[in-house]
Amino acid sequence: MVKARINGITVKVPEGTTILDAAHKVQIKIPTLCKHPDLRATGACGVCIVKIKGSQKMVRACCTPLEENMEITTHDPEIVAVRRSVIELILSRHPNECLTCGRNQNCELQKLASDFGVRRESFPQYLPDIKPDTSTGTIVLEPRKCISCGRCITVCQEMQNVWALSMLERGIDTRISPAGDISLADSPCVNCGQCSAHCPTGAIFENDETAKVWQALQDENKYCIVEIAPAVRVAIGEAFGLPLGQNCTGKLYTALRRMGFEAVFDTNFGADVTIVEEAHEFVERFVHKKGALPLITSCCPAWVDFMEKFYPDMIEHFSSCKSPHQIVGVLSKTYYARKKRLDPANAYVVSVMPCTAKKYEIKRSGEMFASGHQDIDVSITTRELGRMIKQAGIDFASLPDEESDHILGEYSGAGTIFGVTGGVMEAALRTAYDYITGGKLKNIDFENVRGLAGVKEGAVPVGSHTVKVAVAHGLRNVEAVLSKVRLAKARGEEPPYHFIEVMACPGGCVGGGGQPYGVTDELRVKRGKGLYKDDEAHTMRYSHENPWVKKVYQDFLGEPLGTKAKELLHAAYKARPEYKK
Amino acid sequence: MEKITKDRLDEVLKNPPPENGRYIRVGMSSCGVAAGAAEVFALLRSEVEKRKLAVPVVPCGCSGGCHSEPLVEVCVDGLPSVTYGKVNAEIAMRIIEEHVRDKRLVQDYIVDAPMKRAVAL
Amino acid sequence: MTTTVVLIRDTDSGGADRTRDVHDLFTQKVRDAGLQNEVQVVRAADLGIYNKGMVAKILPQGIVYAGIADADVDDIVTTTLAQKMPVSRLVYCGANEQVRIVMRNCGIVNPECIEDYIARKGYQGIKRALYDLTPEKAIEELKTSGLRGRGGAGYPTWLKWSLARNAFGDRKFVICNGDEGDPGAYMDRSVLEGDPHSVIEGMMIAAYCIGATKGFLYIRAEYPLAIKRVQKALDDAYGTGLLGKDILGTSFCLDLEVRLGAGAFVCGEETALIASVEGKRGTPRPRPPYPSDVGLFGKPTVINNVETFANVSYILLNGAKTFASIGTDKSKGTKVFALTGKIRNSGLVEIPMGTPLRVIIEDIGGGVASGKKILAVQTGGPSGGVIPEQHFDTPVSYEHLLELGSFMGSGGMIVMDEDDCLVDIAKFYLGFCVDESCGKCAPCRIGGFQMLKVLEKITDGKGMPEDLDTLKRIAQAMRKASLCALGQGAPNPIISTMKYFAEEYRQHIVDRKCRAGKCTRLMRFEILDTSCKRCKLCVVNCPVHCIAGDREKGYRIDQEKCIKCGRCFEVCKFEAVARS
């Protein structure tokens, strides 16, 4: 432990704690623009400077460890003056477009300028003339608004190991861009959107498609269907000041219905179907030795894209089962439309996702048009939905709870934990255990696949077998798991795992790139807890026991992995180049 | 190449090799080359070879007197070592003919810039 | 029997050059004394002595006589040349001489010949370290020597090594920083080109001391000759078994490799350099952790500058005490400076620490070539400051230069005379930093750019008195909040010129005048009707066709259209174009 004084207050912290974190312990907030709790400090912005007694220099609180007997001053007129100068310098290179910016009232730079009472432009503005990059249709780069804090780059390179984003040029011309100044669509970008979730300003944001949704809702010929992903329900409340991690499923159904959706479904139903298919796939491979092991989950579109670009040798290991939201989409335009006597051409399916990559997934291959139409017409993020609810004048926090629409809105507890890392694995194991042993698990809470450790491993006894599993989240953690698989394959050894779950975003979908801003591990845990509580609150905690899932199979799909199921619920993968030419 | 051993280094320390008393050194660092030292070097070498003069022409680094480059230091029997500055082909020829052959120093080009007054400890 | 040589040179810059007359007189007197077969009298081009009248240097004895009158010639011939006795009244002792440590072999050895280096006691330092000293003892030796890093900041070399030695790491690295980039500084290039083995030996000693087995020489790609010579030196060192495995019969192993820098100035900053060697974008990262703990590929690393390593091999060869006997209390040894600008002898000088600036500039450098008044000297590269003439008696050391608002830096020393505009100079240096800013941290990236815009405003004649406050405000933010020394030091040239040459700024802002005529936008060209001979040469040469008129009325310059290029002023044969 290190003992020191910050603004005269004694503080004791473990060795290696930064001055910034130590100051927080004694209720001192040192402003910063570039430091994010998720990310290594880069020291880029220069706002968090403090004084150490005995030194002429000012040091950065974000990356200077507190040392024994240090005497730190975090706020005095000189420090504040320097900070103000730095903030004003940053503002001189940032457009004054707050009112029309997607980050209005939610921007870290705007907040700092407000806190410091910046009332005039001390330095003339010199703005770069750079066009936004809208090439992906998922996230938009607006380098004009970039303050070069470098968060997105640390996210893309270190947290996600994608290396799509980098800094180009130098000095005043420094800007974010894919290497080689190509478009984001031509880069290795996997659309995970973590860059947008970490950007302090409006320089990277989700491609806003709310207008399309409003237009569809306005269109009398359209029958508007909506589905909400598991992770959305525990995060949307943040946009309305509700407690962190609060499950708002009922309010969401109400709000969506009031916005004008005619059918309000739940992606969790699709999750239950995914599990039925995937668990069958697993049993085929594990018990009947048909197909490669390990089986790797494929419900995360950013992960799918990452695998196709960086691990194409793993294609045979991928579950061919579609992601839950695509399943709800295709069933809406086939099964539901038939039941409702609807022309699927007039059905308009909107999915609300914690995710920017879903915007990409809905058109990623021919299988996403299995209904004969685009199965999901538009996918919006939690952030976009939050804004739409506000635009609709709905007092979300006070809304009563309503139920989802029958039948594609009914879900099991296993379906809801899809939204948190380890959840898919846990749900699949519950069902697979049943399929393999014909019995029921005593304890269905798989604690060792829960939590925020980057890679979680476990061995689960299933009857006479042991199923070796691994769960990775945050794409940088994939390598550790898959290199073991590759090595075993190359040596012709037994695979190190039988079943692997991967989610591109740290924490899984609760930490998705389309979720409300300000994500930290603390918040990821709170959102995750919301989903686990939802699971526990369900009496029905096995996907394959969801009676409505059974009914859809009986009435429409036939057997899991059967012809109809294969046609509608499965997809194929192909190697894609990291860089399009 | 022959290995350099500890014994070899010890020997150098005990019995330092005698300084070669005869040489023509041409400053061949970037500053010298930029001022034309390469041509001067080539000319000196070919003249020495042609005339079978017993004085090696060797390149060396920059001694600091960049303003007077190309610098040519001449040390031949019977004369103290002197350095010529701003040497061109014509002066190089005069160095060969007057200084090396006739043992008469060339007028007007000798520099005794500070680097030559330096104390090497 | 060696012939005695008398070198003659008139060192006074004013008046007629009397070298030839005195030479002839000397020759006559030598002949009269019958010494013509033993003595040669030679006119020298430069004796490295200035403004000391007629000077004679007698070789090989090295006696120097200054202020020689014609009447003294007899005395010199009869006393010194005939009787080998000095003429005491004429002896010139000179100011401080240079001392060669770093450049001890430069200009002497053939840099491409390892044998030359061996003959000059090369690789004795590493031999001594390997056989006679433990790494701790060798570091102790460096501590005694008082050697401080020659890259600029002057961090004690022994301490850096000691930290790296004690840091935990399965591998350790040693890096030589040869990314010399200060405008006008080239001593590292010269050492790499002139004596590469001394640097390699220094790195070997460092590697031995900290326990490194791999090292890199990071040399900028703009130094092709240095790269070639270093590569040759490395090849020879490998070929003779001085690098690789079991060096000099011990278990010490070391591999060295050249890495090219792509010309980014910021890569001279150690953490940016490490990033560059790792193949990443060359930007600095916050310290701590320092490279001695977390360096190249995350391993403990020692980075020293070329000059530092060249000192190390000297210290291990000659002992710490010899080294420490030179220099000042806190700054030991010598420093190499690249003397450039308005100086007679531009070149490299190596002087003991503590030598006054005036000695370097006036005695060694020979003062301003043009004979104009010296205004100032800039040291420390773009992070350094401008030191005015009134402070030229300050001894050169890390501390003293810092006190003057400048900086030792890597050793650039640029002399300015009254033809230089200090505002323009400040703008030049800041422009360099703005170009070279890596763009990572906001204060440097935007602050430097904004300051440059303000300076441009001032030199364009649009400055306002409050601009000086803006400059100070941004300078404070850059100094305090920039991540690395580039941004922290970038305002120094402006702050130091504002301090010492406030009047120049006032003239630019208030009088809209540039004393030196460097800020062209502040100039005004006019045709003096009375002197104009109507030759139209200016009209023909004006690139923007802003001179109009006819033979009757004369010609006028349209001040709105004039771009102040000065072409008319240059071409006029009758001094009919006035510049103000």
Side-chain angles (χ1 to χ4, degrees):
Chain A
M1 294 295 273
V2 178
K3 205 172 122 188
R5 284 157 74 84
I6 304 180
N7 296 349
I9 305 166
T10 303
V11 58
K12 251 180 104 174
V13 289
E15 206 167 320
T17 307
T18 62
I19 296 171
L20 186 76
D21 292 340
H24 269 275
K25 290 238 156 61
V26 286
Q27 301 82 40
I28 298 165
K29 280 179 95 174
I30 301 170
T32 167
L33 263 178
C34 65
K35 178 72 185 85
H36 188 286
D38 279 352
L39 306 173
R40 178 179 60 83
T42 59
C45 73
V47 173
C48 69
I49 41 154
V50 297
K51 283 182 183 167
I52 303 174
K53 194 174 175 186
S55 169
Q56 289 270 309
K57 291 188 166 179
M58 293 188 189
V59 301
R60 282 161 159 69
C62 67
C63 51
T64 310
L66 193 70
E67 285 173 26
E68 188 70 23
N69 294 327
M70 262 186 180
E71 287 195 37
I72 309 285
T73 306
T74 66
H75 291 75
D76 74 10
E78 192 192 2
I79 296 170
V80 173
V82 171
R83 279 185 196 143
R84 182 194 302 275
S85 298
V86 173
I87 291 165
E88 290 189 27
L89 284 170
I90 293 171
L91 289 171
S92 78
R93 191 73 181 163
H94 183 84
N96 289 338
E97 295 168 7
C98 294
L99 292 181
T100 52
C101 177
R103 292 300 293 270
N104 192 14
Q105 299 196 323
N106 212 337
C107 166
E108 294 177 42
L109 178 60
Q110 192 185 41
K111 180 173 184 305
L112 264 192
S114 157
D115 289 352
F116 275 81
V118 176
R119 290 290 174 270
R120 64 191 173 95
E121 284 171 25
S122 295
F123 312 116
Q125 279 212 322
Y126 298 96
L127 297 177
D129 179 23
I130 315 171
K131 300 242 166 342
D133 180 343
T134 56
S135 60
T136 60
T138 56
I139 47 180
V140 176
L141 294 190
E142 175 106 75
R144 279 171 71 248
K145 292 180 184 169
C146 173
I147 57 167
S148 297
C149 70
R151 278 189 198 172
C152 55
I153 286 163
T154 315
V155 163
C156 192
Q157 298 182 351
E158 293 177 19
M159 177 192 267
Q160 298 297 69
N161 199 23
V162 171
W163 297 78
L165 284 177
S166 59
M167 288 286 186
L168 283 195
E169 312 278 350
R170 65 183 187 193
I172 193 71
D173 299 320
T174 306
R175 62 195 165 93
I176 48 165
S177 166
D181 210 9
I182 55 176
S183 74
L184 202 54
D186 291 344
S187 81
C189 173
V190 298
N191 306 298
C192 72
Q194 281 300 320
C195 50
S196 71
H198 287 83
C199 179
T201 70
I204 308 181
F205 53 95
E206 66 283 355
N207 178 24
D208 190 313
E209 296 181 281
T210 53
K212 283 187 195 168
V213 180
W214 284 129
Q215 203 176 359
L217 287 168
Q218 191 74 13
D219 190 338
E220 282 179 5
N221 297 322
K222 292 258 188 286
Y223 184 88
C224 290
I225 300 167
V226 67
E227 57 167 313
I228 57 162
V232 174
R233 70 203 67 217
V234 288
I236 188 79
E238 290 162 29
F240 304 95
L242 290 169
L244 302 180
Q246 180 173 317
N247 183 352
C248 299
T249 310
K251 291 186 195 303
L252 263 174
Y253 294 154
T254 314
L256 291 165
R257 212 163 266 137
R258 291 192 184 185
M259 279 164 65
F261 286 102
E262 282 167 270
V264 178
F265 291 152
D266 204 310
T267 308
N268 289 359
F269 176 89
D272 283 337
V273 176
T274 296
I275 287 301
V276 169
E277 292 292 320
E278 207 159 294
H280 272 96
E281 246 184 316
F282 181 69
V283 172
E284 282 287 295
R285 296 188 191 205
F286 184 69
V287 181
H288 307 299
K289 313 287 180 210
K290 287 185 197 157
L293 281 174
L295 179 69
I296 304 175
T297 63
S298 63
C299 35
C300 169
W303 160 231
V304 168
D305 199 27
F306 189 84
M307 181 278 295
E308 289 186 328
K309 282 171 177 159
F310 297 97
Y311 290 94
D313 55 324
M314 294 288 153
I315 284 178
E316 57 169 343
H317 295 276
F318 255 52
S319 163
S320 62
C321 183
K322 284 184 187 171
S323 72
H325 103 128
Q326 288 296 148
I327 288 178
V328 172
V330 73
L331 289 177
S332 297
K333 290 200 178 177
T334 52
Y335 172 73
Y336 181 77
R338 190 187 300 177
K339 265 189 71 159
K340 269 275 171 187
R341 296 179 199 287
L342 253 173
D343 180 357
N346 291 332
Y348 193 87
V349 181
V350 177
S351 69
V352 183
M353 298 284 127
C355 180
T356 48
K358 291 285 175 191
K359 290 173 184 284
Y360 153 80
E361 186 188 28
I362 60 175
K363 291 181 218 166
R364 67 168 283 272
S365 66
E367 293 100 337
M368 306 302 134
F369 299 76
S371 64
H373 305 271
Q374 186 173 321
D375 298 335
I376 305 279
D377 291 280
V378 64
S379 180
I380 60 169
T381 60
T382 315
R383 294 197 290 265
E384 287 165 270
L385 178 65
R387 293 197 293 271
M388 290 186 79
I389 293 172
K390 286 176 185 168
Q391 285 160 31
I394 296 168
D395 176 7
F396 187 82
S398 322
L399 280 181
D401 289 351
E402 287 182 10
E403 293 294 320
S404 63
D405 284 301
H406 198 62
I407 207 172
L408 304 180
E410 312 284 352
Y411 66 93
S412 75
T416 204
I417 56 172
F418 258 60
V420 59
T421 169
V424 177
M425 175 65 68
E426 196 169 339
L429 284 173
R430 289 179 191 171
T431 294
Y433 188 92
D434 199 356
Y435 286 168
I436 294 169
T437 65
K440 281 273 176 297
L441 270 166
K442 282 202 188 73
N443 180 6
I444 61 164
D445 296 332
F446 291 85
E447 291 294 342
N448 54 358
V449 297
R450 295 187 180 182
L452 288 182
V455 176
K456 295 165 280 187
E457 295 175 317
V460 184
V462 179
S464 57
H465 309 277
T466 300
V467 178
K468 287 183 281 181
V469 302
V471 173
H473 60 115
L475 287 171
R476 85 171 141 205
N477 293 313
V478 169
E479 198 174 334
V481 173
L482 289 196
S483 56
K484 280 192 196 171
V485 177
R486 270 182 178 170
L487 192 68
K489 272 178 96 168
R491 290 181 178 163
E493 293 170 358
E494 278 284 296
Y497 311 107
H498 301 118
F499 200 1
I500 298 171
E501 179 206 293
V502 179
M503 293 294 160
C505 294
C509 306
V510 289
Q515 293 278 63
Y517 294 113
V519 72
T520 60
D521 275 349
E522 204 187 336
L523 185 52
R524 290 184 182 97
V525 167
K526 281 188 176 154
R527 290 175 183 167
K529 273 203 179 125
L531 290 182
Y532 286 123
K533 265 196 228 156
D534 191 25
D535 172 27
E536 283 159 25
H538 274 70
T539 46
M540 177 175 72
R541 296 183 69 189
Y542 295 86
S543 294
H544 61 287
E545 292 192 347
N546 180 341
W548 310 109
V549 168
K550 285 183 185 165
K551 183 167 168 51
V552 173
Y553 273 100
Q554 263 170 21
D555 293 358
F556 180 66
L557 287 169
E559 286 299 306
L561 302 182
T563 319
K564 188 94 179 167
K566 282 266 183 193
E567 183 195 326
L568 297 181
L569 308 182
H570 289 258
Y573 310 98
K574 63 171 186 203
R576 291 179 202 262
E578 288 166 35
Y579 290 90
K580 294 190 196 113
K581 59 169 186 219
Chain B
M1 282 179 99
E2 201 185 324
K3 296 284 173 223
I4 290 170
T5 60
K6 173 174 187 284
D7 293 346
R8 169 78 206 288
L9 292 177
D10 286 343
E11 181 59 28
V12 173
L13 215 51
K14 220 181 294 161
N15 299 311
E19 290 249 351
N20 188 352
R22 280 184 229 144
Y23 54 80
I24 299 177
R25 279 184 192 141
V26 184
M28 291 282 277
S29 278
S30 294
C31 46
V33 172
E39 291 87 333
V40 169
F41 181 79
L43 180 74
L44 288 169
R45 228 183 210 179
S46 73
E47 285 301 316
V48 162
E49 248 168 56
K50 203 159 70 186
R51 295 160 194 256
K52 302 197 167 28
L53 300 170
V55 52
V57 180
V58 288
C60 67
C62 164
S63 56
C66 311
H67 57 288
S68 302
E69 293 281 2
L71 287 167
V72 176
E73 186 188 356
V74 184
C75 188
V76 292
D77 294 343
L79 286 172
S81 142
V82 293
T83 303
Y84 293 96
K86 298 189 178 161
V87 177
N88 56 23
E90 185 207 325
I91 301 157
M93 281 305 285
R94 284 180 62 189
I95 289 171
I96 294 286
E97 291 180 350
E98 296 174 26
H99 188 141
V100 182
R101 188 187 64 194
D102 301 343
K103 303 284 161 77
R104 303 289 311 172
L105 272 60
V106 181
Q107 292 286 350
D108 298 321
Y109 290 97
I110 292 175
V111 292
D112 192 56
M115 70 279 182
K116 285 294 160 197
R117 291 191 287 137
V119 181
L121 287 172
Chain C
M1 174 57 199
T2 302
T3 307
T4 302
V5 171
V6 182
L7 299 172
I8 305 288
R9 178 77 215 162
D10 182 355
T11 65
D12 284 341
S13 42
D17 182 357
R18 294 192 60 248
T19 309
R20 192 169 281 274
D21 300 346
V22 175
H23 167 264
D24 294 347
L25 180 66
F26 238 114
T27 314
Q28 187 56 48
K29 296 283 179 188
V30 165
R31 199 172 294 138
D32 291 351
L35 295 168
Q36 67 271 27
N37 292 328
E38 296 147 51
V39 177
Q40 284 190 33
V41 185
V42 185
R43 294 185 300 270
D46 187 346
L47 287 177
I49 297 166
Y50 308 98
N51 304 317
K52 295 289 182 288
M54 188 59 65
V55 172
K57 180 167 185 175
I58 295 154
L59 297 174
Q61 293 85 349
I63 303 166
V64 179
Y65 295 130
I68 302 166
D70 288 1
D72 298 321
V73 174
D74 244 346
D75 221 2
I76 297 173
V77 173
T78 53
T79 313
T80 308
L81 298 180
Q83 299 170 37
K84 314 287 180 209
M85 298 283 285
V87 184
S88 328
R89 68 170 198 283
L90 295 173
V91 170
Y92 173 72
C93 290
N96 292 13
E97 300 285 324
Q98 294 195 47
V99 173
R100 292 274 158 124
I101 289 178
V102 174
M103 296 179 67
R104 60 193 180 277
N105 296 324
C106 290
I108 297 172
V109 299
N110 176 352
E112 301 198 10
C113 176
I114 192 169
E115 285 299 330
D116 271 20
Y117 183 67
I118 302 275
R120 302 262 309 167
K121 297 186 192 166
Y123 292 108
Q124 298 288 349
I126 181 66
K127 187 200 76 185
R128 180 170 165 238
L130 288 174
Y131 279 93
D132 304 339
L133 302 171
T134 58
E136 289 83 0
K137 280 268 166 59
I139 291 174
E140 195 59 36
E141 181 101 14
L142 274 185
K143 187 177 177 183
T144 312
S145 78
L147 176 66
R148 294 168 64 177
R150 296 294 193 249
Y155 194 77
T157 306
W158 74 271
L159 190 53
K160 205 183 239 189
W161 290 17
S162 181
L163 291 170
R165 169 160 186 79
N166 295 326
F168 176 77
D170 56 346
R171 291 194 78 188
K172 293 182 184 179
F173 294 99
V174 49
I175 297 178
C176 173
N177 184 347
D179 193 52
E180 186 174 49
D182 287 3
Y186 60 97
M187 45 277 142
D188 291 350
R189 184 190 73 199
S190 208
V191 173
L192 291 171
E193 286 178 354
D195 192 17
H197 286 285
S198 69
V199 180
I200 292 172
E201 189 185 348
M203 291 181 73
M204 290 169 75
I205 295 164
Y208 170 70
C209 286
I210 68 161
T213 51
K214 173 88 195 173
F216 294 93
L217 291 109
Y218 187 86
I219 308 171
R220 57 193 303 211
E222 294 94 326
Y223 284 178
L225 191 59
I227 292 161
K228 180 177 156 244
R229 294 210 174 133
V230 168
Q231 193 54 56
K232 170 82 169 87
L234 287 177
D235 293 346
D236 289 352
Y238 272 107
T240 52
L242 287 166
L243 283 174
K245 292 209 179 328
D246 304 332
I247 293 164
L248 288 174
T250 67
S251 59
F252 175 57
C253 302
L254 178 66
D255 284 308
L256 293 182
E257 197 181 307
V258 173
R259 281 289 162 99
L260 302 194
F265 178 66
V266 75
C267 286
E269 198 280 343
E270 56 183 16
T271 59
L273 188 154
I274 286 174
S276 174
V277 173
E278 288 173 348
K280 297 177 184 152
R281 182 178 162 95
T283 56
R285 62 154 175 81
R287 298 174 300 178
Y290 289 92
S292 49
D293 276 322
V294 181
L296 187 64
F297 304 116
K299 308 293 179 193
T301 302
V302 152
I303 301 193
N304 281 121
N305 158 273
V306 169
E307 197 180 327
T308 312
F309 281 126
N311 272 304
V312 166
S313 41
Y314 175 91
I315 291 166
L316 268 279
L317 167 64
N318 294 289
K321 295 239 165 66
T322 317
F323 184 87
S325 67
I326 311 158
T328 67
D329 206 21
K330 284 184 178 162
S331 302
K332 297 289 184 199
T334 61
K335 179 76 192 86
V336 184
F337 285 98
L339 200 52
T340 55
K342 303 288 176 58
I343 190 92
R344 186 197 306 261
N345 296 335
S346 56
L348 299 180
V349 300
E350 182 170 357
I351 44 98
M353 293 277 193
T355 305
L357 280 166
R358 196 178 297 285
V359 170
I360 302 172
I361 293 162
E362 290 178 4
D363 295 334
I364 302 177
V368 176
S370 61
K372 290 196 166 146
K373 194 173 167 300
I374 295 187
L375 271 192
V377 64
Q378 207 277 353
T379 72
S383 307
V386 176
I387 300 169
E389 202 266 345
Q390 67 261 33
H391 288 295
F392 276 12
D393 292 316
T394 310
V396 167
S397 72
Y398 293 103
E399 291 73 26
H400 286 100
L401 290 180
L402 219 52
E403 268 171 39
L404 291 179
S406 187
F407 181 61
M408 179 78 88
S410 59
M413 198 174 264
I414 302 179
V415 177
M416 287 155 238
D417 68 8
E418 53 194 352
D419 281 349
D420 291 308
C421 163
L422 272 304
V423 182
D424 187 57
I425 295 277
K427 194 174 79 173
F428 164 78
Y429 279 105
L430 184 69
F432 180 87
C433 284
V434 170
D435 275 351
E436 294 295 342
S437 164
C438 76
K440 177 170 178 171
C441 80
C444 171
R445 180 180 70 241
I446 311 170
F449 176 80
Q450 286 280 7
M451 278 181 99
L452 187 61
K453 288 285 176 192
V454 175
L455 280 180
E456 280 172 0
K457 209 174 124 191
I458 292 173
T459 56
D460 279 358
K462 294 168 186 155
M464 304 296 277
E466 57 266 31
D467 286 341
L468 296 178
D469 296 327
T470 307
L471 285 175
K472 282 183 195 151
R473 188 176 162 210
I474 304 176
Q476 184 203 29
M478 287 181 76
R479 284 176 156 182
K480 297 291 183 188
S482 290
L483 184 58
C484 82
L486 191 155
Q488 287 162 9
N492 286 353
I494 292 100
I495 296 301
S496 63
T497 47
M498 278 169 72
K499 178 174 164 193
Y500 295 122
F501 298 93
E503 173 60 16
E504 294 221 1
Y505 281 87
R506 197 199 61 77
Q507 284 173 3
H508 280 76
I509 293 170
V510 180
D511 304 344
R512 303 273 195 248
K513 280 213 159 48
C514 173
R515 174 193 47 74
K518 290 279 173 191
C519 302
T520 48
R521 292 291 177 95
L522 288 174
M523 284 191 305
R524 189 178 164 87
F525 293 90
E526 268 168 305
I527 294 170
L528 305 172
D529 200 46
T530 47
S531 314
C532 178
K533 302 275 186 276
R534 317 290 201 253
C535 73
K536 284 181 77 175
L537 203 54
C538 57
V539 178
V540 180
N541 276 285
C542 177
V544 292
H545 311 297
C546 73
I547 307 175
D550 55 39
R551 299 190 56 86
E552 302 266 303
K553 283 183 260 165
Y555 293 89
R556 296 178 72 88
I557 297 172
D558 182 344
Q559 297 297 336
E560 289 292 301
K561 276 164 81 182
C562 174
I563 57 165
K564 329 277 188 191
C565 69
R567 193 83 185 103
C568 51
F569 180 79
E570 285 163 19
V571 297
C572 181
K573 291 189 162 65
F574 310 104
E575 294 186 359
V577 178
R579 187 178 71 174
S580 61

